Amino acid sequence: MTRRHFAILLGFVIVAASLAWLLEGRFKWVTPTGTPGDAGPDISGKAPATTTSPIIYYRDPDGRPAYSSTPKTTSAGRDYLPVRAGEDISFEDRPLPSAAKTGGERRVRFYRHPMGLPDTSPVPKKDAMGMDYIPVYEDEAENGATITISPGKLQKTGVRSEPVERRTLNVPVRATGRIEFDPRRISVVSLRFEGFIESVGKFAEGDYVRKGQTLIRVYGPNLSSAAAEYVAVLNMRRGGAIDAQRLEGAKRRLVNLGLDESAIAVIGRARSVPRVIAWPAPQDGHVLERAAINGMRAAPGDILFRIVDHSVVWVLADIAERDIALMAPGQKVDVRPRAYSDRSFKGQVALIYPHLNMETRTARVRIELPNLDGLLRGDMYAEVEIAAGGNEKVLTAPESAVIDTGKRQVAIVDKGEGRFEPREVKIGRRGEGFVEIKSGVNENERVVTAANFLIDAESNLKAALRALDQGEAGK
């Protein structure tokens, strides 16, 4: 071989070695299947795993959130990468998957799904969204009553709690009512004898009259006869002694015909029988009805005027049968007429009627309402809100603290240090954002008011898994 041929061969060997060296440096990450290889930079801060460390699971080679407990290949034919003990990267402190328990360390029994799905794993695992499975420890309460949650998870889920306190619980009962006049404040003007209306005062329906104002001037034969007898008895007194019993009888006859004391006094001072008698208004109020006409003949009992006092009105409201036990006379009521929706009138419950409406299964409640400015009118509709409930303080909790499943009610008690205990409670009245607690929790205990359904779901899952474990152990 000539020197020229030897130089060419040596140059070819050098070029081949250089090319192999470059390829090895560029594709250093490629490792054979089943060998630890170089899994990239270690960002967990842990010591590198040795080749003798056990493989705990396999991860997707492309970094997708896909994992497997057995060797597996992707759709492109690439092998899943093994992850050995000590290589698992986590941003939260959690015990190693080792089942050993040394000193005071806690032993992990299994890992459960972070969203409460019925899926468990004996090794650390992530779900389809990349969330870590939650460890379940062996030293947790055997009865499953207490749930322990790390501070980090508490902050993420937004768990809040409030103390159970005693307070006066006002339960608003709402209904629709109708305004009516108080019949005790309505007066009727009529005659007790047959008479004739000489004249009628200038009053019409809706006008306001005061007590003592003359409504009509009336003439009646019987009234004139009784007045003449009374005057005759008085005139006899001038000539000598008068029989007091006779005088009282004559005066009583005028009273029985409807004359008041002021009209009888006028006759007594004049000592003469007037042709017509002025008939006064019996009370203050508005003229609700006028039937008297000048010159008309009025029979005994005919209604000539109807006068109503509007200073106090009634509101009749129909209350549902389930709310009857909350009602009591004297309770405060807020009334908002539909004609004045921006105004509120204060009243109180005066009476709960002793019978129910068979068709609607409601009870009628009578509310007395002052109407000094006269804005409330008969037959108006109004929205009624009754402050039901007693004045005694009862044990209450926020309504959001009670999980009502229909068959039972549960409250989550915050025992501190991330420990929570679900308890079944009995509730009573509701109102103003609170609910009465009859049993289940004590005063000053704190109950969860936000994210409590997550804790309840965790408790139910824990109980189900425990039942499953016990069932398998009994086989």
Side-chain angles (χ1 to χ4, degrees):
M1 180 181 295
T2 65
R3 296 180 60 184
R4 181 180 179 182
H5 290 163
F6 180 79
I8 293 174
L9 180 60
L10 180 60
F12 179 78
V13 172
I14 293 173
V15 170
S18 300
L19 181 62
W21 178 80
L22 290 176
L23 290 176
E24 182 182 4
R26 185 171 182 178
F27 299 102
K28 187 177 181 180
W29 55 271
V30 179
T31 59
T33 304
T35 62
D38 186 2
D42 183 9
I43 64 174
S44 64
K46 301 177 182 178
T50 63
T51 56
T52 59
S53 299
I55 298 175
I56 56 176
Y57 64 93
Y58 297 83
R59 62 180 177 85
D60 189 276
D62 297 326
R64 290 191 293 266
Y67 306 89
S68 175
S69 59
T70 58
K72 185 179 178 181
T73 58
T74 65
S75 58
R78 300 184 60 187
D79 294 327
Y80 271 45
L81 299 180
V83 178
R84 299 180 179 274
E87 292 181 339
D88 188 20
I89 299 174
S90 175
F91 295 97
E92 292 185 1
D93 293 336
R94 67 187 182 193
L96 294 176
S98 172
K101 180 179 180 182
T102 61
E105 295 182 359
R106 306 173 69 187
R107 182 187 296 272
V108 178
R109 295 177 57 194
F110 57 87
Y111 296 83
R112 63 176 180 81
H113 198 281
M115 302 302 292
L117 298 179
D119 182 24
T120 61
S121 172
V123 296
K125 184 179 177 182
K126 294 181 181 291
D127 65 356
M129 299 177 63
M131 298 177 63
D132 292 327
Y133 272 47
I134 300 173
V136 178
Y137 301 97
E138 288 186 349
D139 60 352
E140 292 181 346
E142 290 300 326
N143 56 6
T146 302
I147 303 299
T148 303
I149 301 178
S150 65
K153 292 190 175 77
L154 288 179
Q155 185 176 5
K156 291 177 182 178
T157 56
V159 175
R160 295 193 304 271
S161 60
E162 295 183 18
V164 178
E165 299 176 342
R166 291 190 178 273
R167 56 171 51 86
T168 301
L169 188 62
N170 291 324
V171 183
V173 176
R174 297 177 177 87
T176 301
R178 187 181 70 258
I179 298 176
E180 291 190 0
F181 300 130
D182 186 350
R184 298 170 299 186
R185 298 176 180 269
I186 298 177
S187 296
V188 171
V189 177
S190 61
L191 302 179
R192 299 180 183 179
F193 54 88
E194 186 175 2
F196 297 87
I197 307 300
E198 182 74 14
S199 63
V200 182
K202 296 181 179 180
F203 299 107
E205 293 183 4
D207 291 341
Y208 187 82
V209 298
R210 297 190 177 278
K211 183 177 181 180
Q213 283 187 298
T214 300
L215 296 177
I216 58 176
R217 297 183 181 275
V218 62
Y219 164 77
N222 294 338
L223 180 60
S224 297
S225 176
E229 181 181 351
Y230 180 67
V231 171
V233 174
L234 290 176
N235 290 333
M236 287 176 58
R237 189 174 184 180
R238 292 181 180 181
I242 184 173
D243 188 355
Q245 185 174 2
R246 186 176 180 183
L247 178 61
E248 181 65 24
K251 183 179 179 180
R252 176 56 57 185
R253 186 178 179 188
L254 292 174
V255 173
N256 292 340
L257 291 175
L259 262 66
D260 59 2
E261 292 291 338
S262 60
I264 295 175
V266 170
I267 295 175
R269 287 192 299 267
R271 298 294 178 100
S272 63
V273 180
R275 189 176 64 85
V276 293
I277 298 294
W279 210 266
Q283 69 173 36
D284 296 342
H286 290 83
V287 177
L288 188 63
E289 179 183 349
R290 171 189 162 169
I293 302 175
N294 293 338
M296 69 173 290
R297 171 179 173 272
D302 288 349
I303 297 177
L304 304 178
F305 284 89
R306 191 188 300 271
I307 301 173
V308 59
D309 180 9
H310 288 125
S311 61
V312 177
V313 296
W314 285 0
V315 180
L316 300 181
D318 294 328
I319 304 299
E321 184 177 1
R322 65 176 179 273
D323 295 329
I324 295 178
L326 302 176
M327 299 290 102
Q331 291 174 338
K332 303 300 181 181
V333 183
D334 187 9
V335 179
R336 294 183 179 272
R338 294 181 180 176
Y340 310 103
S341 57
D342 58 337
R343 295 197 55 178
S344 175
F345 297 84
K346 305 298 182 181
Q348 64 178 8
V349 176
L351 177 68
I352 303 172
Y353 285 79
H355 55 272
L356 291 180
N357 187 319
M358 293 288 294
E359 297 178 354
T360 61
R361 306 304 302 173
T362 56
R364 176 156 293 185
V365 176
R366 188 176 77 202
I367 303 164
E368 291 187 359
L369 197 65
N371 185 30
L372 301 179
D373 50 6
L375 294 178
L376 302 178
R377 293 169 171 81
D379 295 328
M380 273 187 172
Y381 281 101
E383 302 299 329
V384 176
E385 183 175 309
I386 304 173
N391 296 325
E392 298 181 358
K393 291 186 177 181
V394 296
L395 199 63
T396 61
E399 282 188 322
S400 59
V402 178
I403 303 174
D404 194 344
T405 64
K407 292 184 179 180
R408 68 187 187 111
Q409 294 79 36
V410 177
I412 309 297
V413 178
D414 186 353
K415 305 182 72 173
E417 300 179 355
R419 295 179 298 118
F420 300 90
E421 179 184 354
R423 292 187 192 172
E424 187 171 351
V425 296
K426 292 184 179 180
I427 63 176
R429 299 171 294 171
R430 297 175 183 262
E432 299 179 339
F434 294 91
V435 59
E436 178 184 2
I437 303 296
K438 293 186 175 181
S439 65
V441 294
N442 301 320
E443 188 175 0
N444 296 327
E445 283 189 312
R446 300 185 67 88
V447 291
V448 179
T449 59
N452 48 358
F453 65 95
L454 296 176
I455 302 176
D456 184 61
E458 183 167 347
S459 173
N460 293 337
L461 176 61
K462 183 177 179 180
L465 293 175
R466 180 176 297 101
L468 181 62
D469 291 344
Q470 292 175 353
E472 292 179 353
K475 292 182 180 180

